[in-house]
Amino acid sequence: MAKGLALNFQGYQINHLRYDIDNVSSEVLNYGEKMSVGFSNVKTGVSTDNSQAVFSCGVLVESKLANGKGEEVPFRKITFDYTGIFTVINAKEKEITKDDILALFDEGASYIATSYIKDVVKNISNLDYRMPLNVNVPQFPNGLK
């Protein structure tokens, strides 16, 4: 990776947000809620002039409640598309490549995305009568290119 190169987080955009809650009996609500997190279409991109970079993915969070009979029933589901926007800082003003910029995602920019994804899930799930969903978003794998 080129020295003096950094990504400056500019913000994020959420699209296609959906929050579903299934009606369940009050008996089921007394049992623990289990969550799963999934990602789809994980992509990174760099502008043609290497001045901006984006990280995007689809997010799916689902929760289930135990029904006390050894089974789990669907309860809450959140889906959305996340796009994080970064400007590229080239402190040494040297020639940089798309690969130099994408290497920064492996070194930390994707961690910024996971933090905001967790916050979105928590804030959206806080709208109902249950505790907010505090999900553990897994580390994105290296090689997001």
Side-chain angles (χ1 to χ4, degrees):
M1 181 186 68
K3 290 186 178 182
L5 187 61
L7 293 176
N8 186 14
F9 183 69
Q10 296 297 305
Y12 66 90
Q13 182 176 354
I14 300 297
N15 288 312
H16 306 109
L17 174 64
R18 183 175 176 122
Y19 184 33
D20 296 316
I21 303 172
D22 287 340
N23 290 326
V24 295
S25 72
S26 59
E27 293 173 8
V28 174
L29 291 176
N30 294 327
Y31 292 93
E33 190 171 3
K34 294 182 182 178
M35 292 170 281
S36 63
V37 181
F39 297 94
S40 61
N41 300 321
V42 177
K43 298 176 186 174
T44 55
V46 178
S47 64
T48 55
D49 65 355
N50 290 339
S51 67
Q52 291 191 325
V54 296
F55 172 86
S56 65
C57 64
V59 179
L60 167 64
V61 177
E62 293 180 292
S63 76
K64 294 182 178 183
L65 294 173
N67 66 2
K69 300 173 187 172
E71 301 169 344
E72 294 178 339
V73 294
F75 183 43
R76 298 192 276 181
K77 180 178 176 181
I78 300 172
T79 59
F80 59 91
D81 294 330
Y82 170 91
T83 302
I85 303 155
F86 301 83
T87 49
V88 178
I89 299 171
N90 186 2
K92 297 198 176 189
E93 297 185 13
K94 293 185 176 181
E95 193 69 29
I96 57 173
T97 67
K98 178 180 177 180
D99 289 337
D100 292 330
I101 296 167
L102 291 175
L104 291 174
F105 281 103
D106 289 342
E107 294 185 6
S110 60
Y111 300 112
I112 293 170
T114 59
S115 175
Y116 285 104
I117 289 169
K118 287 166 61 170
D119 284 347
V120 168
V121 170
K122 184 177 178 180
N123 289 334
I124 295 302
S125 63
N126 197 33
L127 297 173
D128 65 35
Y129 57 93
R130 292 285 287 192
M131 295 293 290
L133 295 173
N134 291 306
V135 297
N136 290 321
V137 176
Q139 306 278 330
F140 286 100
N142 288 336
L144 293 174
K145 307 172 202 66

